[in-house]
């Protein structure tokens, strides 16, 4: 085989590898900007050139060797998957080995498939525990009252059961998941309030379904739009808002169903015992780490980044300037993530996504809709609009952090 033929074969194998890499990585949650930059860096490290465009539903690849007018274009339909930091980390390690020449392109293609087929590090039981921790942690931070916390944790387990069954049977069950889970929780929370009138129903419902509220999707959509990835950002933003609306209508109808059957007037929540935040922060952070399938070796860094973000929020809030806490939290979390990625040569998303989730705006939007439907419409709608403002503030914080510490191109 001549040198020209060998280079042609290698070019073909490199294209196949990049296409497979894009499909696999897309399903693990990186933003469009990160995925496109990463694919560009990898194809150039292999000695070729490419331009890539990623959206929620497809990836477009354009490759060339020397002449940019002589391109090979490939379009692949993809589905938006769930965040999986363990597999994202393993893909990053594999690509580093390929670029360094430790693994051949032929072997790496099959290894990508093997990574995709690997079982998750945290199984169904651990995932259920993560829902429990997130529900308890979030309700503890919002309310701190014992009955709210216990009820939110129990209902979060029911939400996980709904999620598990929906993904197992897929199809229509998966489409109905946001409505059905929120409706179930709304009915159960309103029913319990008949016997325990002291509970705060809005806090309980929100804390129970917070693990599946698409707050990060909304925030990521705003970030991508601000970063000039309008198509992908708009798709993520619209998908997140629609999912949130399905959850709102489910919870609202659930509360209304019990309201029609029970004519008693609910009593406002009465403070029982404020337990403080430090008991619940670790539960929330650990729950997020498990929910995002973080590897055990990454767990200390995930929790540390979440703490850095939380302290940033607390520091900003001390100045009593609206949204300054959110801005500071996003800045320090992204700076930490960029430094961590440079130090350990691992994907920034592993530590950054859970930390940003602590500040996500979806909970603000859901609570605003619930207030608008059940109490003061003007106050609720104003709070719903704050969801977009919070997302914009997070986007601004991430951009500011990237100018302070230049990010390493990672997933």
């Amino acid at each position: 085989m001549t040198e020209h033929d060998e280079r042609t074969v290698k070019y073909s194998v490199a294209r196949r590898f990049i296409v497979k890499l894009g499909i696999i990585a897309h399903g693990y949650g990186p933003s469009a900007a990160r995925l496109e930059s990463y694919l560009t860096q990898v194809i150039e490290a292999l000695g070729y050139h490419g331009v890539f465009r990623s959206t929620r539903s497809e990836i477009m690849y354009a490759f060339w060797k020397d002449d940019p007018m002589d391109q090979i274009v490939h379009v692949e339909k993809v589905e938006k998957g769930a965040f999986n930091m363990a597999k994202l980390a393993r893909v990053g390690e594999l690509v580093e080995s390929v670029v360094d020449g430790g693994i051949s392109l032929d072997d790496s293609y099959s290894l990508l498939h093997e990574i995709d087929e690997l079982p998750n590090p945290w199984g169904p039981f651990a995932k259920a525990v993560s829902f429990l921790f997130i529900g308890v942690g979030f309700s503890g931070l919002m309310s701190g009252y014992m009955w709210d916390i216990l009820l939110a944790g129990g209902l979060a387990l029911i939400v996980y059961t709904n999620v598990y069954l929906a993904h197992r049977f897929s199809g229509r069950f998966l489409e109905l998941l946001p409505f059905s889970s929120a409706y179930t929780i709304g009915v159960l929370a309103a029913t319990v309030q008949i016997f325990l009138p002291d509970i705060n129903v809005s806090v309980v419902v929100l804390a129970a379904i917070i693990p599946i509220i698409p707050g990060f999707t909304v925030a990521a959509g705003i970030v991508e739009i601000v970063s000039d990835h309008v198509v992908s950002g708009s798709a993520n933003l619209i998908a997140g808002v629609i999912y949130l609306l399905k959850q709102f209508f489910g919870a609202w109808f659930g509360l209304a169903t019990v309201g029609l059957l029970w004519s008693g007037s609910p009593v406002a929540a009465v403070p029982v015992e404020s337990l403080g935040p430090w008991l619940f922060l670790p539960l929330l952070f650990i729950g997020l780490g498990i929910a995002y399938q973080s590897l055990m070796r990454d767990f200390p860094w995930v929790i540390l980044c979440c703490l850095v973000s939380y302290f940033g929020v607390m520091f900003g809030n001390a100045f009593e300037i609206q949204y300054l806490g959110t801005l500071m939290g996003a800045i320090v979390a992204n700076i930490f993530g960029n430094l961590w990625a440079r130090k350990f040569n691992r994907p920034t998303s592993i530590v950054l996504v859970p930390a940003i989730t602590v500040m996500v705006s979806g909970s603000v939007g859901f609570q605003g809709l619930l207030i608008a439907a059940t109490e003061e419409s003007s106050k609720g709608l104003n709070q719903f609009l704050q969801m977009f403002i919070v997302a914009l503030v997070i986007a601004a914080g991430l951009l500011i952090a990237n100018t302070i510490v230049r990010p390493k191109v990672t997933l």
Side-chain angles (χ1 to χ4, degrees):
M1 183 181 294
T2 66
E3 182 179 346
H4 175 75
D5 292 334
E6 288 180 359
R7 190 159 188 261
T8 301
V9 170
K10 186 180 177 183
Y11 179 45
S12 175
V13 174
R15 293 201 314 271
R16 289 179 67 242
F17 174 73
I18 293 296
V19 170
K20 184 71 172 179
L21 174 62
I23 296 170
I24 294 292
H26 182 278
Y28 301 152
S31 67
R34 287 189 180 277
L35 181 58
E36 292 171 10
S37 299
Y38 192 67
L39 294 177
T40 301
Q41 182 192 52
V42 175
I43 193 65
E44 290 179 352
L46 296 175
Y48 306 106
H49 307 280
V51 173
F52 310 98
R53 292 292 178 266
S54 172
T55 68
R56 190 177 179 85
S57 57
E58 68 178 19
I59 305 176
M60 187 187 76
Y61 307 80
F63 303 96
W64 71 92
K65 287 187 284 188
D66 300 309
D67 186 0
M69 300 300 290
D70 183 21
Q71 294 184 2
I72 295 177
V73 177
H74 180 91
V75 178
E76 190 75 33
K77 184 178 180 180
V78 293
E79 294 183 4
K80 191 67 175 178
F83 287 99
N84 193 314
M85 299 308 167
K87 294 185 178 181
L88 197 69
R90 291 189 171 107
V91 167
E93 292 169 355
L94 174 62
V95 171
E96 290 295 329
S97 298
V98 172
V99 172
D100 293 339
I103 300 177
S104 69
L105 281 173
D106 288 318
D107 292 337
S108 63
Y109 187 85
S110 59
L111 287 173
L112 276 176
H113 182 72
E114 290 179 13
I115 290 173
D116 198 40
E117 295 298 319
L118 284 174
N120 291 326
W122 303 100
F125 178 76
K127 196 73 179 289
V129 172
S130 77
F131 272 60
L132 172 64
F133 281 6
I134 293 172
V136 169
F138 193 83
S139 61
L141 292 175
M142 286 190 65
S143 167
Y145 304 145
M146 184 59 70
W147 283 119
D148 293 348
I149 295 165
L150 294 176
L151 184 57
L155 294 181
L157 290 175
I158 295 176
V159 171
Y160 173 74
T161 303
N162 204 343
V163 170
Y164 177 80
L165 294 175
H167 280 89
R168 182 167 184 177
F169 295 104
S170 65
R172 191 60 58 87
F173 292 95
L174 200 55
E175 293 177 9
L176 289 172
L177 173 62
F179 181 89
S180 62
S181 57
Y183 178 82
T184 303
I185 297 308
V187 168
L188 292 175
T191 303
V192 172
Q193 192 185 39
I194 295 173
F195 305 97
L196 295 172
D198 291 343
I199 67 170
N200 188 326
V201 170
S202 62
V203 170
V204 169
V205 172
L206 177 58
I209 66 172
I210 195 71
I212 60 172
I213 280 184
F216 189 84
T217 302
V218 174
I222 296 289
V223 171
E224 289 182 335
I225 291 173
V226 172
S227 303
D228 205 25
H229 289 75
V230 178
V231 175
S232 177
S234 300
N236 280 324
L237 178 61
I238 293 171
V241 171
I242 291 175
Y243 198 97
L244 191 67
L245 288 173
K246 289 179 180 178
Q247 290 180 311
F248 157 68
F249 285 119
W252 183 32
F253 287 146
L255 296 172
T257 299
V258 177
L260 290 173
L261 299 175
W262 180 263
S263 58
S265 300
V267 181
V270 177
V272 179
E273 180 184 359
S274 181
L275 301 176
W278 298 111
L279 176 64
F280 302 106
L281 277 174
L283 293 178
L284 178 60
F285 296 162
I286 292 170
L288 287 172
I290 297 174
Y292 285 127
Q293 296 293 336
S294 301
L295 291 171
M296 184 60 73
R297 62 172 169 162
D298 294 326
F299 241 85
W301 300 109
V302 171
I303 293 175
L304 183 56
C305 191
C306 288
L307 275 174
V308 167
S309 174
Y310 182 78
F311 284 131
V313 172
M314 297 298 293
F315 176 77
N317 288 341
F319 293 93
E320 298 183 353
I321 299 176
Q322 193 172 21
Y323 306 119
L324 181 60
T326 302
L327 180 67
M328 292 301 301
I331 290 174
V332 296
N334 200 18
I335 289 176
F336 179 92
N338 289 341
L339 292 173
W340 180 82
R342 286 181 175 274
K343 173 68 175 178
F344 296 100
N345 203 27
R346 295 170 66 73
T348 310
S349 300
I350 292 175
V351 296
L352 183 60
V353 170
I356 295 299
T357 303
V358 176
M359 303 181 295
V360 292
S361 52
S363 59
V364 178
F366 180 86
Q367 196 171 29
L369 289 172
L370 210 56
I371 292 173
T374 57
E375 298 176 23
E376 304 175 33
S377 58
S378 59
K379 176 184 176 182
L381 290 175
N382 286 335
Q383 186 164 335
F384 175 72
L385 293 176
Q386 285 182 23
M387 173 180 69
F388 301 100
I389 300 175
V390 170
L392 281 169
V393 172
I394 292 174
L398 297 179
L399 292 174
I400 292 171
N402 286 338
T403 60
I404 297 173
V405 178
R406 295 299 300 172
K408 185 180 187 296
V409 179
T410 63
L411 289 170

